[in-house]
Amino acid sequence: MTEIETFYDVLRRQGISRRSFLKFCSLTAASLGLAPELAPQMAYALETKPRTPVLWLHGLECTCCSEAFIRSAHPLASDVILSMISLDYDDTIMAAAGHQAEAIVDEIVEKYKGNYILACEGNPPLNEDGMYCIIGGKPYLDQLKKAASNCKAIISWGSCASWGCVQAARPNPTQAVPIHKVIRDKPIIKVPGCPPIPEVMTAVITYIATFEKLPELDRQGRPKMFYSQRIHDKCYRRPHFDAGQFVEAWDDDSARKGYCLYKMGCKGPTTYNACSTTRWNGGVSFPIQSGHGCIGCSEDGFWDNGGFYNRLTNIHQFGIEANADDIGKTAAGVVGAAVAAHAAVSALKRARDKGGNA
Amino acid sequence: MTTKSAGTHVEQAIYVYEGPLRLWHWINAFAIITLVVTGYFIASPLPTVAGEASDHFLLGYIRFAHFAAGYVLIAAFLLRVYWAFVGNEHARQIFLPPVASRHWWGEVWHEIKWYAFATREPKKYIGHNPLATLAMHILFIWGIVFMMITGLALYGEGAGMGSWQYQWFSSWVIPLFGNSQWVHTYHHLGLWLFIVFVTVHIYAAVREDIMSRQSILSTMISGWRTFKDARPADDEHS
Amino acid sequence: MTIQTPNGFTLDTSGKRIVVDPVTRIEGHMRCEVNVDSENIIRNAVSTGTMWRGLEVILKGRDPRDAWAFTQRICGVCTGTHALTSVRCVEDALGIKIPENANSIRNIMQLCLQVHDHLVHFYHLHALDWVNPVSALKADPKATSELQQKVSPAHPKSSPGYFRDVQNRLKRFVESGQLGPFKNGYWDNPAYLLPPEANLMATTHYLEALDFQTTIMRIRTIFGGKDPHPNWLVGGVPCAINVDGVGAVGAINMERLNMVRSIIDQSIRFVEDVYIPDLLAVASFYKGWLYGGGLSSKNVLSYGDIPDNANDYSAANLLSPRGAIINGNLKEVHDVDLRNPEEIQEFVPHSWYKYADEKKGLHPWDGVTQPAYGLGPNAKGSKTNIVEIDESAKYSWIKAPRWKGNAMEVGPLARYIVGYAQGNKEITEQINFVLKTLDVPVTALFSTLGRTAARGLECQWAAHKMSYFLDKLIATIKAGDSSTANVDNWDPSTWPKEAKGVGFTEAPRGALAHWIRIKDTKIENYQCVVPTTWNGSPRDNEGNIGAFEASLMNTKMERPEEPVEILRTLHSFDPCLACSTH
Ligand code: HEM
Ligand code: HEM
Ligand code: NFV
Ligand code: SF4
Ligand code: SF4
Ligand code: F3S
Ligand SMILES: [Mg+2]
C-alpha cells in the first residue's frame, strides 16, 4: 500500500501552504468553539489519518439529503469523498449494482467491525412487513439492521432519518419510523433538516474525522454546535420583529423592505437550526432572506404542525381541526353567553323572590 | 369571632383572608391581566409601525412586559405557596380540596344545584364554597402551574441552552410536547383558559356577593367575611 | 414461452433469469429482472419500483397552499419541479394569475434545475457506464492533454501537468485499497470501450463537474432561499424585488441579479466547454452500440413548459415543445389535453394498488391510490424475500399511465423528438449538429445514446434560456413593474366551495402533471403522474410494456452476471423511483 491521500494533501494540492493550513485549523477550531490549543491536534489528524469507511443507506426518502451533501461549498463533496472518508456504499453514486453492491455491506460490516460509520438517509417503513421499501428483494429494515450491527455510530441525515419527515406525516400510510425507533444500541447523531444545510453535513463528518470523537449532542440527539439556537435567535430580520414591523401580505411594501415574516407564519421562533447563521449553499441566502418564512423543516413533526402560513399548530380533537384561537374564542364566547344568561336568570329570580318576600 | 348587632339583623364577621393573601390576590390579578393582554399581542402583533427599526421597540416592550409580569406572577405564586404553610386554614383551601370526603362532594353537588337554580337557598361558608374551591384548584392552581412551566420553557428558548430556564424547563418540556411549536400552541391555549376563568370568577364573586348569605367582594379587600344571617356555617371543618 | 405485446415486442421468458436489485446510480429504489437467451441477448425485461411513501394519501385534507412543500419532497433530485407543478395546479383550480416577474423567476429556477440535474446525471449517475476510472491510471497525461485540447480548445484546464496531478491523486486513491464509490465496479468488463486517455479526461471532469455543480443551484438559493427544496408560493414567488428603495439590500437587487448573471455565464461555459465535448467524445467511441431505443421510435409524449409570457399555458407560448407522437409517425404530432378524461389514464392490474374495476384506467382527477402489496403465484421466494418476481401478476409500486391507451416514453429525448418533428428551429439545429459531428443517421437518436445526447443538448438549451429570462426580468423591472405575487385569492374565504385544476411542467426526466380537487378549502384528491411513472411503468391491462422494459429488449450482454448494459440503458432515462411512486 502506498501513501494515502489525506485532507492536508487535498489542501496542498490546491496550492495552500502549510502556514495557511495551520491557520485554517486554528480558525476552524475557533469557529467550532474549541480552545486554540486543539488546533495542532486537528492539523495532525488531518495530515495523517486513513479514511473511515462510511456506509450510506437510503430508505424511504427523496435523496435531497444526498443532493444537499454534494452542494457543500466547504469542504467540497469531492474532497470529502476522495480524501476524508471512504464512501464504500451509497446506492446513489456507487458503480456496482445488484449482488456486487450488496456484497459491499457484508464486507464492511465484517472487515471494519466497530470502525465504520453508518449514514442513514430516509427511514424504514414497518407496515406490510417493511415491503414499502425493498432492497435486494427484502425489506430495507433488514439491510439497515445488518449495516448497523457493527457500526461505530450512526448519522441520521435529515428529517426523515431523524424524525420521520414527510412519509411519516399523518396518516403515515407506510408506518415509516425514524432510525432511533428501530436501532437502539448505537450512538445516533441526528442532523435534521429537510434537507440539512450542506455545510453542516460536511462539518459533522469532518468533525468526527478530525477530532476522532462524536459531537456533543443535546437531549434530542442533535449536535449542539449547530442546533442549539433557533433561527429567530440569530435572524437578521429580528430588529423588525422587536420593532413591530411585519410583512402583512406577500409582496407588500414591508416585504420589499425586508420586514419580519412572523405574520406570514414564519417558524423561525420555534425552529432549531443554523440557517440564519451559516446560511445556505456557500452562505448565499436562507429561506427568510429570500422572502419566505421558515417552515420549520428541521423540527420533529413539522408537517403536521398546521399550515405553513400559521404560526401555531392546529389541534386535532373530536374529529375537527382548529387552531388555539378558534378554540379559545369559541370557549370564551360560549362561557360569556352562559354567564350573561345566568346573570339574567339570577336577576329575574331575585326580583321575583324579593317581590314574593315583600 | 366577633358579633355585631345592626338593627334587627344579626351579622357575624370572621377574619378569613390575611393581609399577605389579599395582597397576593391583587398582585396576581394584575399580573394575569397584563399577561393576557401582552400575550395576545405577542401572538397577534399590532399593525406594522412606520420608520426605521431602530426607532421602535414595540413588540420588544410588549414581550418585556409579558416576561416581567410572568416573573412577578411566579414570585408571587411561590410566596403564596409559602403562605399556604404558615397562613391560616383558609390559605390552604384552594391547594388541598378534601377530595376524599364524600360529604364534601355532596356539598359540591348542592352548590351546582344552587347555580342551576335547582335549590332555593345557598349554603353558608366562611372560606370558599366547595364548588369555588374545586374550580380554583383545577383551573387556577393547575392552570397557573401549566402556564408558568410552559412560559419558563419558552423563555428558556430565548435565554439559550446555558440558562437555568432552559436547563430546568425547556430541556424536558419541549421534547414532552414534541416540539417548540406545540409548547407555544398550548401556552397560547392557556390564554383562553384564563379568560374563561376570570370571566366566571368575577361573575361568580359579584353574584355571590349579591345572592349568597355572606360577603364576598369586600372580603378580598378587608379580609373580613360578614354574614347575612346567624345560622351556623356549612364549611367542612368549621 | 413467448408473448407478443400489443405495442410490438416479443417477450420470451424461457432463458436464464437475471436479477439486478438494487439498481444503483439512480434516485430511489428499483429492481430489474431480465431473461437472456443462450447468446446472452435480453428477451424479456421486468422493471419494478420498490418503494412507496403515499404522498397522495398524505395530502388529503390539507391546505392547498401547502401542497407545494409536500410534493416538493417527492424528490430532492428534481427538487422544485413538483413544487412548481403544484402551485400551477392550485392556481389553475382557483383561477389565480401570477405577475410577469414571477413567471420569469420560476422559469429561471426550472431551467436551472434542468441544467444542474442533466449535468449531475451525465457525470455522476451515468458516466461510469461508459467511462472506466481504473483504466485512467494507464493514460499518458500528455496524450490526454492533447485530446482535451482537440475536443474542447476553450477549456482552460488542459495541461499535461494538470492531468498528471489528477492521475496521481487517482492512483493513490486506488492504491489505498479504499475504492469508495468505485468499489466492486465492472472495470475489466469488455463492454468498456474508451481508451485510457479518454477515461482520464472524463474522470477528471467527473471531479470538475462535482465541484462546479455546487455553484449552479445558487441561482435557486437566491430566489428560493435554499437548495435543495427552495421555497415557492401560490400566486407568484416569495422573493420580493426592490432594486433601489429603502431595504433593497435584503431583496432581489442589483447584486443578486449580478450573481445570477455570473452563474448563468459560468454554466453556459461549463456545458459548452466540458459537457457537450465529453458527450460527443464518449459517444464517438460507442457509435456502434445502438441498443436501447425501446419506445422512443414509437410513442413519445411531452406536455411542454417554460411559458414565455405569464399565465398562458397554450402550446404556442411554451418554449419547450408539447405534443404526442404515436406509432413512430413523426409526420403527425398530436395535441395533448390533460383535462380530457379519455387521454391520460392510470392502470393498476400489474401495480401494487387496488381499483374497484382493474380493467379500467382512471383519469387523475378521479384517481385512486390504495396500496395492495402481494406477489403473483409464479413468484419465487416469499413475501419478504423476493427471489424472482411474477410479472403476470402485480409486480411494482409504479402505476401504469397511458395516453389514449398507449405506453409512452417521456424525457429529454421525447421532447427533442417532438420538437424535431414540429420543426422547432433551436432543437433541429442542435440535433443536426450532433448527427453531423458523429456522422450518424437520424435513426441513431432512437437509442440509449440518443437519450443521453438529447439530455446534453437540452442542458445547453436550458442554460441559454436562463439568460433570456434574466434579461426579461430586468426589462420588466426597468419598465417599472416589480411585483412578484398576486394575493387576491390568498385568503381561502375567497375560494369557491369546490374547484379542480391541473398543473404541468417538463421535469428533467419528462412530462409531469399534478391534478387537484379542492373542497371546502381543503384538498379532496391529489394525484401526480410523474415522468418515471411513465417510463418505469409496468405492464397494463392489455399487456403493453413500459419504456424501461421496452428499451432493454434485444440488448446483448457481454457478461450476464455483470449488468453494465442494463445499467447503461436504464440510466439513459435517469430513473427516479421516489418520483415514480411518490
Ligand atoms: C386575573 C384575575 C383574577 C384571578 C386569577 C383571581 C384569582 C383568585 C383566586 C385564586 C382566589 C382564591 C384565593 C385564595 O383562596 O387563595 C380568588 C378569590 C377572590 N377573588 Fe379573585 N382573581 C382575579 C380577579 C378578581 C377580581 C377582578 C375580583 C373582584 C371583582 C376578584 C374577587 C375575588 C374575591 C371576592 C375572592 C374571594 C372569594 C371568596 O371570598 O371566597 N378576583 N381570586
Ligand atoms: C396567565 C398566564 C399567561 C398567559 C395568559 C400567557 C399568554 C401568552 C401568549 C398568548 C403567548 C403567545 C403564544 C404564541 O402565540 O406563540 C405567550 C408567549 C410567551 N409567554 Fe406567556 N402567558 C402567561 C404566563 C407566562 C409566564 C408565567 C411566562 C414566564 C416567564 C410566560 C412567558 C412567555 C414567553 C417566553 C412567551 C414567548 C414570547 C415570544 O414568543 O416572543 N408566559 N404567553
Ligand atoms: N421522474 C421524475 Fe422527477 C424528474 N425529473 C419528477 O417529476 O425526478 Ni426525481
Ligand atoms: S429529510 Fe427531507 S430532504 Fe431529506 S430525504 Fe427526507 S424528505 Fe428529502
Ligand atoms: S423573520 Fe422569522 S425568524 Fe426572522 S425575526 Fe421574524 S419571526 Fe423571527
Ligand atoms: S425551513 Fe428549514 S431550511 Fe432553515 S430557515 Fe427553516 S429550518
Ligand atoms: Mg400518482
Side-chain angles (χ1 to χ4, degrees), chain C residues 332-548:
Chain C
E332 191 181 6
V333 180
H334 300 265
D335 254 0
V336 181
D337 180 359
L338 287 85
R339 297 167 198 272
N340 183 343
E342 304 303 321
E343 292 197 15
I344 294 167
Q345 295 185 333
E346 287 192 302
F347 294 82
V348 298
H350 293 277
S351 311
W352 283 316
Y353 303 93
K354 212 162 36 202
Y355 277 3
D357 177 357
E358 300 206 343
K359 288 195 194 61
K360 291 213 181 95
L362 295 177
H363 183 262
W365 265 329
D366 303 312
V368 172
T369 302
Q370 197 189 343
Y373 176 77
L375 299 177
N378 302 321
K380 292 198 185 135
S382 66
K383 177 182 179 184
T384 54
N385 184 8
I386 308 169
V387 177
E388 247 181 63
I389 212 101
D390 174 6
E391 65 268 27
S392 71
K394 290 181 186 285
Y395 68 92
S396 177
W397 282 115
I398 307 178
K399 290 182 184 174
R402 296 292 182 259
W403 186 73
K404 296 190 174 170
N406 298 292
M408 310 296 281
E409 172 169 335
V410 300
L413 179 58
R415 294 191 276 260
Y416 267 58
I417 292 171
V418 170
Y420 192 77
Q422 286 170 335
N424 175 308
K425 193 163 158 285
E426 293 163 335
I427 288 177
T428 311
E429 269 173 19
Q430 280 185 302
I431 290 183
N432 288 341
F433 164 75
V434 169
L435 297 178
K436 207 174 126 221
T437 312
L438 291 174
D439 188 24
V440 290
V442 72
T443 48
L445 275 180
F446 308 122
S447 67
T448 293
L449 271 168
R451 228 169 262 120
T452 300
R455 184 172 296 106
L457 297 180
E458 190 175 62
C459 185
Q460 182 188 24
W461 176 87
H464 284 282
K465 281 289 173 281
M466 281 199 282
S467 187
Y468 169 82
F469 282 103
L470 180 60
D471 290 344
K472 192 164 180 166
L473 177 65
I474 291 170
T476 314
I477 300 170
K478 207 167 165 183
D481 177 2
S482 290
S483 63
T484 52
N486 166 5
V487 295
D488 293 348
N489 291 99
W490 177 254
D491 187 346
S493 65
T494 64
W495 301 351
K497 207 177 145 38
E498 283 187 46
K500 60 179 186 176
V502 55
F504 61 87
T505 56
E506 280 297 327
R509 290 155 192 76
L512 167 67
H514 293 182
W515 285 258
I516 193 172
R517 274 181 192 274
I518 301 172
K519 193 175 173 193
D520 298 328
T521 76
K522 293 283 181 314
I523 295 171
E524 192 194 18
N525 197 9
Y526 200 106
Q527 292 280 320
C528 317
V529 181
V530 184
T532 305
T533 322
W534 286 100
N535 288 338
S537 130
R539 284 140 222 224
D540 57 29
N541 54 327
E542 291 180 344
N544 290 301
I545 59 175
F548 285 179

Side-chain angles (χ1 to χ4, degrees), chain A residues 62-63, chain C residues 27 74-79 81-82 85 110 113-114 117-118 410 415 505-514 529-535 573-581:
Chain A
C62 78
T63 312
Chain C
E27 194 294 331
I74 287 174
C75 183
V77 177
C78 61
T79 165
T81 197
H82 286 281
T85 310
Q110 180 72 354
L113 169 70
Q114 300 276 12
D117 208 1
H118 288 350
V410 300
R415 294 191 276 260
T505 56
E506 280 297 327
R509 290 155 192 76
L512 167 67
H514 293 182
V529 181
V530 184
T532 305
T533 322
W534 286 100
N535 288 338
F573 290 92
D574 192 2
C576 177
L577 273 292
C579 267
S580 68
T581 65

